[in-house]
Amino acid sequence: KAAVAPFLQLDTKKNDIYLNSDDYVLGIRGIVDKQINENLLWTGNIGYAYQPEEKLGDNVKIEHTLLFGTGLVFKIPETRSYVSAELFGRSEDMFDTENTPVEGILSYGLVGENATFTIGAGIGLVDGYGAPDWRVFTGLRFGI
């Protein structure tokens, strides 16, 4: 399967918690999924994002961004759960370390009738801007 996903990210006005650009981000991703076998799915994506120029410190300028990611999802047989491993990042300056944060995450998901619960953890693999030392996350998705 393949998809194209355009996106628009707007300013949150939450500068104190660093959840925004100063204006907007406009982008597009190409996404490919490939079922490897009954229980294993591979996914990959590549994309581009534009935002008005923003400087972080003296060395990082964000404006034109290459987005990329890949992952494997393993459906645990005879259950409604899965585990996934993902690698994703972005590059402002063609893979210069400081301008290319990369993160790896592992997660577990439990699929219910109309909702999916997820819990996981991630680490920064390349010490670019915004890459975490580590993080823990959880989520709940609802289907309509």
Side-chain angles (χ1 to χ4, degrees):
K1 298 178 186 178
V4 175
F7 64 89
L8 173 63
Q9 177 182 323
L10 300 173
D11 185 1
T12 64
K13 305 297 184 201
K14 299 283 185 186
N15 293 334
D16 57 332
I17 56 175
Y18 306 104
L19 288 178
N20 67 311
S21 87
D22 285 337
D23 203 355
Y24 65 91
V25 179
L26 182 62
I28 191 165
R29 285 184 191 264
I31 305 163
V32 177
D33 290 343
K34 173 74 173 147
Q35 194 76 41
I36 296 172
N37 63 36
E38 183 180 339
N39 296 320
L40 192 60
L41 173 78
W42 170 83
T43 185
N45 70 75
I46 191 160
Y48 167 79
Y50 169 80
Q51 70 182 64
E53 184 177 313
E54 186 173 341
K55 289 193 146 228
L56 301 175
D58 294 332
N59 299 328
V60 177
K61 178 183 84 168
I62 304 172
E63 184 176 19
H64 301 280
T65 305
L66 172 68
L67 308 169
F68 54 90
T70 189
L72 288 171
V73 179
F74 178 73
K75 182 184 176 301
I76 301 170
E78 300 178 21
T79 71
R80 296 183 76 159
S81 36
Y82 64 87
V83 292
S84 69
E86 300 173 58
L87 180 70
F88 60 90
R90 55 187 293 137
S91 185
E92 314 304 328
D93 192 10
M94 294 314 290
F95 304 108
D96 168 65
T97 301
E98 191 171 56
N99 291 290
T100 306
V102 177
E103 184 175 354
I105 64 172
L106 291 173
S107 63
Y108 167 81
L110 180 59
V111 180
E113 186 114 358
N114 294 313
T116 300
F117 170 75
T118 306
I119 188 166
I123 61 170
L125 300 173
V126 175
D127 195 22
Y129 74 92
D133 289 335
W134 61 273
R135 70 179 174 117
V136 177
F137 61 89
T138 187
L140 188 59
R141 292 184 304 215
F142 293 97
I144 298 175

mmCIF file of all heavy atoms in Angstrom, residues 1-3 31-34:
data_model
loop_
_atom_site.group_PDB
_atom_site.id
_atom_site.type_symbol
_atom_site.label_atom_id
_atom_site.label_comp_id
_atom_site.label_asym_id
_atom_site.label_seq_id
_atom_site.Cartn_x
_atom_site.Cartn_y
_atom_site.Cartn_z
ATOM 1 N N LYS A 1 0.837 -1.172 0.000
ATOM 2 C CA LYS A 1 0.000 0.000 0.000
ATOM 3 C C LYS A 1 0.885 1.239 0.000
ATOM 4 O O LYS A 1 1.962 1.243 0.563
ATOM 5 C CB LYS A 1 -0.894 0.031 1.229
ATOM 6 C CG LYS A 1 -1.859 -1.130 1.320
ATOM 7 C CD LYS A 1 -2.652 -1.015 2.600
ATOM 8 C CE LYS A 1 -3.517 -2.239 2.772
ATOM 9 N NZ LYS A 1 -4.257 -2.194 4.015
ATOM 10 N N ALA A 2 0.366 2.279 -0.581
ATOM 11 C CA ALA A 2 1.091 3.549 -0.618
ATOM 12 C C ALA A 2 0.112 4.686 -0.365
ATOM 13 O O ALA A 2 -1.083 4.571 -0.685
ATOM 14 C CB ALA A 2 1.782 3.734 -1.955
ATOM 15 N N ALA A 3 0.609 5.760 0.215
ATOM 16 C CA ALA A 3 -0.225 6.924 0.489
ATOM 17 C C ALA A 3 0.618 8.182 0.417
ATOM 18 O O ALA A 3 1.842 8.144 0.579
ATOM 19 C CB ALA A 3 -0.864 6.809 1.869
ATOM 20 N N ILE A 31 4.262 7.576 1.956
ATOM 21 C CA ILE A 31 4.270 6.468 2.913
ATOM 22 C C ILE A 31 4.043 5.161 2.157
ATOM 23 O O ILE A 31 3.167 5.081 1.299
ATOM 24 C CB ILE A 31 3.155 6.655 3.963
ATOM 25 C CG1 ILE A 31 3.299 8.020 4.649
ATOM 26 C CG2 ILE A 31 3.169 5.513 4.977
ATOM 27 C CD1 ILE A 31 2.071 8.483 5.373
ATOM 28 N N VAL A 32 4.827 4.143 2.496
ATOM 29 C CA VAL A 32 4.691 2.823 1.884
ATOM 30 C C VAL A 32 4.605 1.785 2.990
ATOM 31 O O VAL A 32 5.402 1.827 3.935
ATOM 32 C CB VAL A 32 5.892 2.506 0.964
ATOM 33 C CG1 VAL A 32 5.778 1.105 0.390
ATOM 34 C CG2 VAL A 32 6.011 3.528 -0.151
ATOM 35 N N ASP A 33 3.631 0.887 2.900
ATOM 36 C CA ASP A 33 3.502 -0.248 3.812
ATOM 37 C C ASP A 33 3.612 -1.521 3.008
ATOM 38 O O ASP A 33 3.059 -1.622 1.914
ATOM 39 C CB ASP A 33 2.136 -0.265 4.515
ATOM 40 C CG ASP A 33 1.967 0.844 5.526
ATOM 41 O OD1 ASP A 33 2.978 1.443 5.932
ATOM 42 O OD2 ASP A 33 0.822 1.103 5.914
ATOM 43 N N LYS A 34 4.286 -2.522 3.558
ATOM 44 C CA LYS A 34 4.434 -3.808 2.882
ATOM 45 C C LYS A 34 4.220 -4.919 3.903
ATOM 46 O O LYS A 34 4.955 -5.009 4.890
ATOM 47 C CB LYS A 34 5.834 -3.915 2.259
ATOM 48 C CG LYS A 34 6.170 -5.261 1.680
ATOM 49 C CD LYS A 34 5.444 -5.497 0.382
ATOM 50 C CE LYS A 34 5.945 -6.791 -0.249
ATOM 51 N NZ LYS A 34 4.971 -7.492 -0.977
#
